[in-house]
């Protein structure tokens, strides 16, 4: 091992010989046109749906035609014509085992993480999401483009493998969904036997399953030949499937990402990782294990590569139909279907390209890997300098878990500096410089592996609402001490490889084993912490819009509930100690109110009416909004840390897969090269993830920028139009004032205290959004927000402090 150069150790066989140059087993030249064809038709469908050329009701009709006529005909035709003699059954069983493995892995993980109220529906639908591929509409054209000229028999595996999900795995998922419905009592209480009967009936009634069974029977009855009187009819229906299915897929994508909320992001990331990363790796691994008796090594390699590409196929849109039928987990499934479809395209193209290129000399490949590392490190370096500066200026670094987050940023920063330095010393004959640079690089890189687990652990202990039982100093020592210990052991026991270019193999096999141990420890720590964190707090990542009245001692309830009379309404925040006797108004004085209200505690105290801008720092309503904002900001910061830990853990899994792939494969192959490039990007591009979540602080960056942009836009609009209020806004305001204002005041406006002896009549932005939808002035939340913004711009309503636009939040507004 020590005698091998780094180049041969990465890109050559483990015996030191280069793999033979063999002709490619697929035609990658036809892949790009096939991808453009498929995604072009999908784009056409999306545009048609977005422009409302084809309404949603008509789209359902097209979906029914595709799923109940065209696809069953296509399956029947191919099952009849299928030649079972050419089937390599180990490949079929490899895909079967891979799908079953992923299905139950997702199912068990969901049961461990999800809350008890919805874990059955999540386990069923999420498992189906991770295993049911879009084999026919998107997968078949791509396989046809790649293998028609070299391995045309591979096309028939699509028709063999697809029923595995439809007939074996999906019924299990449906059973979980029916159990969830039964536990919820929808639509009525059913026995377990009835639930089982419903699942079996649903499977049998599925036209796809039905036609697969009929096709297999007809295969033997008709002797692999469709009768002439049926052939043209079947061909007509089958040939209509391709374009119609892709077009329908585009139609189903319209508006789906709007359903995505922060509360679904974590589940979405895990599901897409399982579908596009775990599934292809397990498919390829199963073929390597079960097809080991293949007499032709070339055919064996081709099948394993085909299995990898098959695993990358995105989720089928029918999974969204299942979620819609059960009315369960619709946000995650529909958003995930859209995202996985578009993420799969570049993965498939890059994978196919790497699989078809002939084996190049190992030196250019290692050099290319080094250049990618250098370039991404420079970009990440700037992002991390910005992120560290924002963290310091925001003064969050002294709080837990931010104190650990800034250590992660520093480690990532040192990794970038180490890689940039390594690029200059790697090819120099300077042993001391290489060792020092390697120590800096891998000491920092191992630290970035450890910190996600420590941050997740700190989040878990904070969520327990107990005193954090560990000292930040000890955690910081662990975050830097463990990597330093690992690098020290590596320097003392490892044997340096000659002519090393890639730092990942500077000490050869010893370094790979050491890296695997560090990765495994961090993955276990982070995974267990995040799992326990999710189980202790069911909605640890939920940032749904809430009304203040649900969590604060507000004077009113949300719109649509019975509200107490103004006389009985207490102070919004009675515990606030304020020295002001009345709310200061923009006019500088308190305006008298025509009414005088009293409470049981203050029956003799007269209160004034505050009707202008609240500028007092002691205004109870302003302080109430600030409390809500602070609580939401805390939740957002917690969610950001969870997402960063989750994404970094996924990168750790990719690194561990790369290490294990190299250790246990005599000939890593060209897909290993793709995995290596991916690991390089995630290792030295971690700063981009940190920047995305922490580099754009709301108070330091976003809010000042938005205010400046709004002022510039307002000034420009006045110059161009000569008026700050457009005709459309005037019409909206006049309509509202004439026909709706009086009723709106009756429904949602409530008198609230804003000082010890002052009140104001306000309403919540969230209540206004619901009211606009209930009276038909808006059909959804988006239209309600737009309508409310027009009223705000037209001067009909205003925020109590004139500092906020109209939002669907627990913010206080009033009529002018």
């Amino acid at each position: 091992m020590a005698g091998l150069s780094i180049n041969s150790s990465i890109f050559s066989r483990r015996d030191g010989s280069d793999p033979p140059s063999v002709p490619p087993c697929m035609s990658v030249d036809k892949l790009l046109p096939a991808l453009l064809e498929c995604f072009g038709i999908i784009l056409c469908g999306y545009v048609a749906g977005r422009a409302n050329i084809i309404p949603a009701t008509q789209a359902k009709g097209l979906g029914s035609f595709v799923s109940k006529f065209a696809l069953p005909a296509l399956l029947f035709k191919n099952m009849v014509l299928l030649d079972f003699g050419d089937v390599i059954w180990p490949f079929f069983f490899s895909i079967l085992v891979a799908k079953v493995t992923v299905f139950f892995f997702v199912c068990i993980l969901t049961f461990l993480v999800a809350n008890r109220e919805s874990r059955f529906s999540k386990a069923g639908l999420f498992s189906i999401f991770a295993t049911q591929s879009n084999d026919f509409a998107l997968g078949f054209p791509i396989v046809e483009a790649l293998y028609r000229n070299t391995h045309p028999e591979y096309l028939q595996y699509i028709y063999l493998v697809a029923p595995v999900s439809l007939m074996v795995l999906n019924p299990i998922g449906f059973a979980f969904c029916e159990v969830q419905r039964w536990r919820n009592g929808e639509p009525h209480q059913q026995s377990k036997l009835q639930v089982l009967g419903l699942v079996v009936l649903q499977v049998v009634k599925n036209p796809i399953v039905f036609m697969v069974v009929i096709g297999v029977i007809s295969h033997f009855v008709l002797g692999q030949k469709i009768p002439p009187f049926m052939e043209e009819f079947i061909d007509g229906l089958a040939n209509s499937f391709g374009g119609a299915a892709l077009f329908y897929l585009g139609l189903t994508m319209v508006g789906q990402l709007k359903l995505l909320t922060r509360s679904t992001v974590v589940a979405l990331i895990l599901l897409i990782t399982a579908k596009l990363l775990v599934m292809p790796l397990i498919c390829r691994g199963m073929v390597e294990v079960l097809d080991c008796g293949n007499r032709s090594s070339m055919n064996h390699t081709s099948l394993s590569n085909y299995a990898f590409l098959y695993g990358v196929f995105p989720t089928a849109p029918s999974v969204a139909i299942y979620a819609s039928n059960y009315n369960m987990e619709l946000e995650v499934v529909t958003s995930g279907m859209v995202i996985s479809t578009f993420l799969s395209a570049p993965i498939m193209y890059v994978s196919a390209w790497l699989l078809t290129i002939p084996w190049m000399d190992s030196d250019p490949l290692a050099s290319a890997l080094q250049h990618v590392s250098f370039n991404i490190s420079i970009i990440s370096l700037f992002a991390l300098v910005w992120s560290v500066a924002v963290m310091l200026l925001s003064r969050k670094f002294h709080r837990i878990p931010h104190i650990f987050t800034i250590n992660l940023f520093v480690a990532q920063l040192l990794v970038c500096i180490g890689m940039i330095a390594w690029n200059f010393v790697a090819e120099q004959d300077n042993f001391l410089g290489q060792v020092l640079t390697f120590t800096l690089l891998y000491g920092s890189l191992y630290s970035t592996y450890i910190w996600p687990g420590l941050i997740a652990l700190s989040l878990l202990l904070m969520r327990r609402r107990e005193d954090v039982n560990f000292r930040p100093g000890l955690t910081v020592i662990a975050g830097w001490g463990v990597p330093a210990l690992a690098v020290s052991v590596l320097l003392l026991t490892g044997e340096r490889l000659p002519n090393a270019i890639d730092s990942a193999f500077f000490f050869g096999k010893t370094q790979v084993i050491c890296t695997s141990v560090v990765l495994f420890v961090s993955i276990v720590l982070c995974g267990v912490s995040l799992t326990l964190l999710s189980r202790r707090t069911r909605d640890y990542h939920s940032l749904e819009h809430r009304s203040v009245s649900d969590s604060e001692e507000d004077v009113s309830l949300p719109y649509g509930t019975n509200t107490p009379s103004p006389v009985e309404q207490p102070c919004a925040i009675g515990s606030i100690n304020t020295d002001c006797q009345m709310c200061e108004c923009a006019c500088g004085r308190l305006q008298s109110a025509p009414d005088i209200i009293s409470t049981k505690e203050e029956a003799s105290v007269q209160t004034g009416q505050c009707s202008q801008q609240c500028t007092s720092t002691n205004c109870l309503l302003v302080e109430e909004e600030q409390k809500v904002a602070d609580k939401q900001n805390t939740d957002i910061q917690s969610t950001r840390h969870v997402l960063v830990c989750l994404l970094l853990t996924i990168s750790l899994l990719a690194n561990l897969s790369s290490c294990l792939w190299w250790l246990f494969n005599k000939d890593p192959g060209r897909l290993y090269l793709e995995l290596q490039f991916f690991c390089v990007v995630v290792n030295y591009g971690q700063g981009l993830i940190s920047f995305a979540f922490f580099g754009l602080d709301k108070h330091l960056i976003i809010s000042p920028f938005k205010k400046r942009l709004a002022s510039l836009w307002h000034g420009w609009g006045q110059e161009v139009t000569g008026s700050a209020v457009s005709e459309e806004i005037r019409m909206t305001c006049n309509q509202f004032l004439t026909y709706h204002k009086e009723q709106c005041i009756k429904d949602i406006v409530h008198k609230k205290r804003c000082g010890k002896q002052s009140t104001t009549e306000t309403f919540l932005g969230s209540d206004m959004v619901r009211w606009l939808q209930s009276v038909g002035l808006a059909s959804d939340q988006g239209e309600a927000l737009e309508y409310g913004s027009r009223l705000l711009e037209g001067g009909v309503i205003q925020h109590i402090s004139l500092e906020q636009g109209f939002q669907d939040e627990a913010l206080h507004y009033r009529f002018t």
Side-chain angles (χ1 to χ4, degrees), residues 632-652:
Q632 287 186 343
N633 184 61
T634 301
D635 290 340
I636 290 173
Q637 294 299 323
S638 178
T639 302
R640 287 176 178 174
H641 281 88
V642 169
L643 292 175
V644 167
C645 292
L646 189 60
L647 291 173
L648 292 180
T649 303
I650 292 173
S651 71
L652 298 184

Side-chain angles (χ1 to χ4, degrees), residues 62-77 208 234-242 244-245:
L62 179 61
S64 298
F65 168 77
V66 168
S67 61
K68 296 181 180 180
F69 292 92
L71 182 55
L74 181 68
L75 285 171
F76 175 80
K77 172 186 174 181
I208 298 174
I234 296 296
D235 285 344
L237 283 177
N239 294 337
S240 67
F241 171 77

Side-chain angles (χ1 to χ4, degrees), residues 13 104 320 356 657 720:
R13 293 177 180 270
F104 284 103
T356 54
S657 300
V720 174

Side-chain angles (χ1 to χ4, degrees), residues 338-392:
V338 175
I339 296 174
S340 66
T341 297
F342 285 99
L343 283 180
S344 66
I347 297 177
M348 284 188 290
Y349 183 77
V350 173
S351 302
W353 175 74
L354 288 172
L355 291 172
T356 54
I357 61 174
W359 272 104
M360 298 161 43
D361 185 24
S362 55
D363 290 334
L365 290 177
S367 179
L369 203 64
Q370 181 67 22
H371 288 157
V372 171
S373 305
F374 179 74
N375 294 333
I376 196 70
S377 295
I378 293 177
I379 299 173
S380 185
L381 180 64
F382 287 103
L384 283 166
V385 170
W386 177 280
S387 301
V388 171
V390 169
M391 185 70 75
L392 294 175

Side-chain angles (χ1 to χ4, degrees), residues 648-708:
L648 292 180
T649 303
I650 292 173
S651 71
L652 298 184
L653 285 171
N655 278 280
L656 183 60
S657 300
S658 174
C659 294
L660 298 179
W661 194 326
W662 186 87
L663 286 173
F664 295 104
N665 280 276
K666 182 179 180 181
D667 181 12
R670 278 169 274 196
L671 285 176
Y672 174 74
L673 178 61
E674 180 182 7
L675 187 58
Q676 274 292 98
F677 273 97
F678 176 78
C679 291
V680 161
V681 172
V682 297
N683 281 338
Y684 304 112
Q686 295 182 54
L688 300 178
I689 298 176
S690 300
F691 174 79
F693 286 98
F694 296 99
L696 300 176
D697 186 83
K698 178 179 180 181
H699 300 289
L700 284 176
I701 309 296
I702 301 297
S703 295
F705 177 77
K706 289 174 66 176
K707 289 181 180 179
R708 180 60 178 167

Side-chain angles (χ1 to χ4, degrees), residues 11 121 139 161 296 361 374 455 573 575 625 632 672-673 730 782:
F11 305 115
S121 62
V161 171
S296 172
D361 185 24
F374 179 74
I455 293 174
I573 306 177
S575 60
E625 290 184 352
Q632 287 186 343
Y672 174 74
L673 178 61
R730 285 196 187 95

